[in-house]
Amino acid sequence: PALARGTMAGMGGRQSGAEIYTYEAPWLVYAMNWSVRQDKRFRLALGSFVEEYSNKVEIITLDEQRREFPAEPTHRFDHPYPCTKIMFVPDTEGTSEDLLATSGDYLRVWRIGDDGVHLKSLLNNNKNSDFCAPLTSFDWSTTNLARVGTSSLDTTCTIWDLEKETVDSQLIAHDKEVYDIAWGGPEVFASVSADGSVRVFDLRDKDHSTIVYESPTPDTPLLRLGWNKQNPRYMATMEMDSSKVVVLDIRVPALPVAELKKHRAAVNTLAWAPHSSRNICTAGDDAQALIWDLSSVAQPGEDGMDPMLAYNAGAEISQLQWSATQTDWIAIAFGKNLQVLHV
């Protein structure tokens, strides 16, 4: 289904007639994501950002009758350090266990029950050392639910087998810290790094990687990576402290297909539409979440294309996720707030 045009347009301040639900946490929100199960509509997980060891994760569900997120103390639990990312198991059918994964000092998998959330596995690849290199991000394979890839400050990416709780492979992925990782197929993943490159890896040929893009500004880190699930030719990334998002076609390395330039401050986060290869949402320090239609990239205007929808949150947006099962809903985090928006 095409995105309805204009439901968010002109909402800056007025937010007229748009469906928006807000949850205020007791702490700054950083990591956040949607549940993907069909039978758990409007369920999300969010993680605190507190600059100390003790942090929290909370699972909340919108009460659609009362139009609010009731507190669920049974589904709030302690987490060492802030999570850098949270994901529910990407199982739309609900046939697997109800699981949640978090990254921070280690990768942890949690089992969600009616009575609360319990640690299922703690995955640590540095068994012989007290030192752990923090994980910056991870991605859970949608084609093989036993497979998760993590990215680390120690320049590696690690592919875990969750069923065996063992490392499937560990690759030195970059010359510097790896900041994000994304699957593009059953055996293929990509990562971005402080070395300014986007690299693609194939687990069937671990000795080689393909550099599909390098930041034009030397020594400028690439922070986030989104791989288009509907059309794996396309990826998106952005430089640290940049207001521009770069859209890549991996068949044409080095040359971006589009540069999205309408943010007025640094972009922090991006998400491809899970149901349409044309649409991407970006958000950042200018308090804006912008939805773009890339079907017109062939004929961009002089100063680049305009977004099709804009939403102003009123504060810097740190996180953004597009619901895979309710594809007309986007979640954003800013300050202590999590907000779900109907687009």
Side-chain angles (χ1 to χ4, degrees):
L3 281 163
R5 284 174 183 275
T7 41
M8 285 157 91
M11 280 167 46
R14 290 202 311 279
Q15 303 179 359
S16 53
E19 267 191 279
I20 300 170
Y21 301 106
T22 306
Y23 174 74
E24 188 172 350
W27 20 255
L28 290 176
V29 179
Y30 179 62
M32 170 272 283
N33 222 325
W34 291 90
S35 170
V36 291
R37 286 172 60 134
Q38 302 282 4
D39 61 342
K40 303 279 187 189
R41 281 169 55 88
F42 291 109
R43 181 175 71 161
L44 299 104
L46 57 160
S48 66
F49 185 82
V50 183
E51 291 190 35
E52 53 190 57
Y53 180 78
S54 180
N55 274 261
K56 297 280 184 199
V57 172
E58 192 164 40
I59 298 172
I60 58 172
T61 303
L62 180 72
D63 180 328
E64 294 181 62
Q65 266 63 52
R66 293 167 56 196
R67 303 167 76 89
E68 63 181 25
F69 288 98
E72 295 184 50
T74 52
H75 286 69
R76 184 182 303 138
F77 57 97
D78 292 325
H79 192 279
Y81 304 105
C83 317
T84 51
K85 188 167 181 180
I86 291 182
M87 278 185 87
F88 287 86
V89 58
D91 164 32
T92 48
E93 305 306 310
T95 50
S96 80
E97 279 188 287
D98 197 8
L99 300 175
L100 180 78
T102 57
S103 54
D105 50 351
Y106 303 112
L107 177 67
R108 290 176 175 83
V109 182
W110 310 82
R111 188 185 287 111
I112 305 166
D114 294 337
D115 59 335
V117 183
H118 308 281
L119 184 64
K120 180 179 192 281
S121 29
L122 187 153
L123 303 164
N124 169 18
N125 198 22
N126 302 359
K127 292 283 195 292
N128 54 358
S129 152
D130 293 337
F131 169 77
C132 73
L135 302 177
T136 50
S137 187
F138 71 95
D139 196 20
W140 203 324
S141 169
T142 53
T143 52
N144 176 356
L145 297 182
R147 188 174 260 181
V148 167
T150 61
S151 56
S152 170
L153 292 181
D154 68 6
T155 76
T156 66
C157 290
T158 303
I159 310 305
W160 287 92
D161 180 328
L162 295 188
E163 278 170 12
K164 299 188 182 120
E165 299 191 1
T166 55
V167 172
D168 183 67
S169 26
Q170 184 172 37
L171 310 167
I172 295 174
H174 289 268
D175 305 328
K176 292 183 179 174
E177 298 93 333
V178 191
Y179 286 139
D180 204 3
I181 181 170
W183 290 102
E187 303 292 330
V188 179
F189 70 90
S191 56
V192 291
S193 161
D195 66 15
S197 67
V198 180
R199 300 189 190 191
V200 176
F201 299 85
D202 190 322
L203 293 172
R204 293 158 297 196
D205 179 13
K206 293 174 191 161
D207 296 334
H208 300 98
S209 68
T210 309
I211 296 180
V212 291
Y213 179 73
E214 287 185 286
S215 161
T217 327
D219 297 320
T220 304
L222 296 174
L223 280 193
R224 289 280 163 260
L225 176 68
W227 202 329
N228 189 320
K229 292 276 188 267
Q230 293 296 320
N231 187 342
R233 274 172 32 196
Y234 295 109
M235 291 178 174
T237 186
M238 76 272 190
E239 293 179 7
M240 183 183 276
D241 300 326
S242 168
S243 60
K244 180 175 78 178
V245 171
V246 178
V247 179
L248 310 170
D249 179 338
I250 59 174
R251 300 170 311 168
V252 191
L255 195 68
V257 241
E259 295 190 329
L260 310 178
K261 298 179 176 173
K262 295 297 175 177
H263 281 284
R264 295 188 290 270
V267 179
N268 295 324
T269 177
L270 53 86
W272 286 99
H275 60 300
S276 142
S277 60
R278 300 195 317 266
N279 297 115
I280 189 171
C281 186
T282 59
D285 284 350
D286 60 359
Q288 291 198 102
L290 304 178
I291 296 182
W292 308 79
D293 181 350
L294 298 178
S295 46
S296 61
V297 292
Q299 54 282 336
E302 288 308 297
D303 61 343
M305 52 191 293
D306 285 317
M308 59 184 271
L309 292 175
Y311 174 68
N312 193 312
E316 298 175 354
I317 299 173
S318 57
Q319 192 64 260
L320 147 81
Q321 299 287 349
W322 201 318
S323 173
T325 40
Q326 293 157 260
T327 53
D328 45 357
W329 289 88
I330 285 174
I332 58 173
F334 53 94
K336 295 181 174 181
N337 297 287
L338 180 147
Q339 214 167 53
V340 296
L341 315 169
H342 187 250
V343 297

